[in-house]
Each structure stands twice: as structure tokens, then as C-alpha cells.
Amino acid sequence: MTDNAAKYEEVTNYFKERMAESKKIQATRGKEARIAAAAQKAASGHNTWRQMTGVRLMAHEISHVGNRPFMIGFASVAVMGLWAQTKFSDAAKADSEYWSTFHGDGKKAAH
């Protein structure tokens, strides 16, 4: 008899736990629960990478180890491009067939 009582108690406790878990899950469903969860998430102030924009997102991505080689290469190309642009003087523009054709008067400058 005690074996059956113990088995009954075990099954009853199991179903009580399942019912509590089901009620907890049910409480997170529905429009009101989604609104409450969204408000709680917004109040926490924590942003995932999907909410980040601009410089914050770029800084976040740079901090990942796997993105560092790409960012180093990107920065190198950007710096070299900026350096080349600053060294492109009026004399270099006059000597450039491309520049004189598409940005100048259409004729190569005479020296």
C-alpha cells in the first residue's frame, strides 16, 4: 500500500510541476505579454548588435577577433587611398590622360 501511495505522490508532484511550467509558459504568450517583454527589454538599456548603428556598430564589429584582419586591411587601403589623393597635385592632374579626358577640357595639357 505504501508503494502505491508513494507512486501516487510522485505522479501527482510531477503533474503539479508540469502544470506550473505550462502556466509560466502560457503567461509569456499573447499580445500583452509581448508588450510587457518589449518594455522590459527596452528598460534594461542593453542593445544587441542589431540595434546598433554607425560608429557604435563599427566599434563592436572591430572588437571581434575574427574581424580584425579585415579591419586592418580595410584601414590600410583607406589610408593609402587618402595618402594618394593628397599627393595628386595639379601637375599630376595635367600629366594624367584620364584626368584631362574626363575631368578637364578633353585635351592633354601642353608643357
Side-chain angles (χ1 to χ4, degrees), residues 22-44:
S22 294
K23 285 184 179 183
K24 187 173 96 175
I25 291 170
Q26 185 64 32
T28 62
R29 294 182 177 161
K31 185 176 182 181
E32 294 82 16
R34 284 195 307 271
I35 292 171
Q40 183 182 11
K41 186 175 181 180
S44 73

Side-chain angles (χ1 to χ4, degrees), residues 6-106:
K7 191 87 158 160
Y8 176 78
E9 186 69 30
E10 181 184 350
V11 170
T12 303
N13 287 338
Y14 171 76
F15 281 122
K16 283 181 182 178
E17 290 172 7
R18 287 291 308 263
M19 182 60 78
E21 188 177 333
S22 294
K23 285 184 179 183
K24 187 173 96 175
I25 291 170
Q26 185 64 32
T28 62
R29 294 182 177 161
K31 185 176 182 181
E32 294 82 16
R34 284 195 307 271
I35 292 171
Q40 183 182 11
K41 186 175 181 180
S44 73
H46 181 271
N47 285 341
T48 65
W49 67 269
R50 292 177 184 262
Q51 282 87 34
M52 293 181 187
T53 57
V55 175
R56 288 188 65 206
L57 177 62
M58 191 164 51
H60 173 77
E61 287 299 323
I62 290 170
S63 70
H64 288 286
V65 175
N67 292 341
R68 286 194 184 136
F70 169 77
M71 292 309 298
I72 291 169
F74 185 80
S76 300
V77 170
V79 167
M80 287 188 295
L82 185 62
W83 177 78
Q85 190 68 24
T86 59
K87 298 296 177 189
F88 198 54
S89 64
D90 290 334
K93 288 178 186 176
D95 289 339
S96 170
E97 188 174 333
Y98 170 83
W99 185 268
S100 62
T101 302
F102 295 105
H103 300 285
D105 56 2

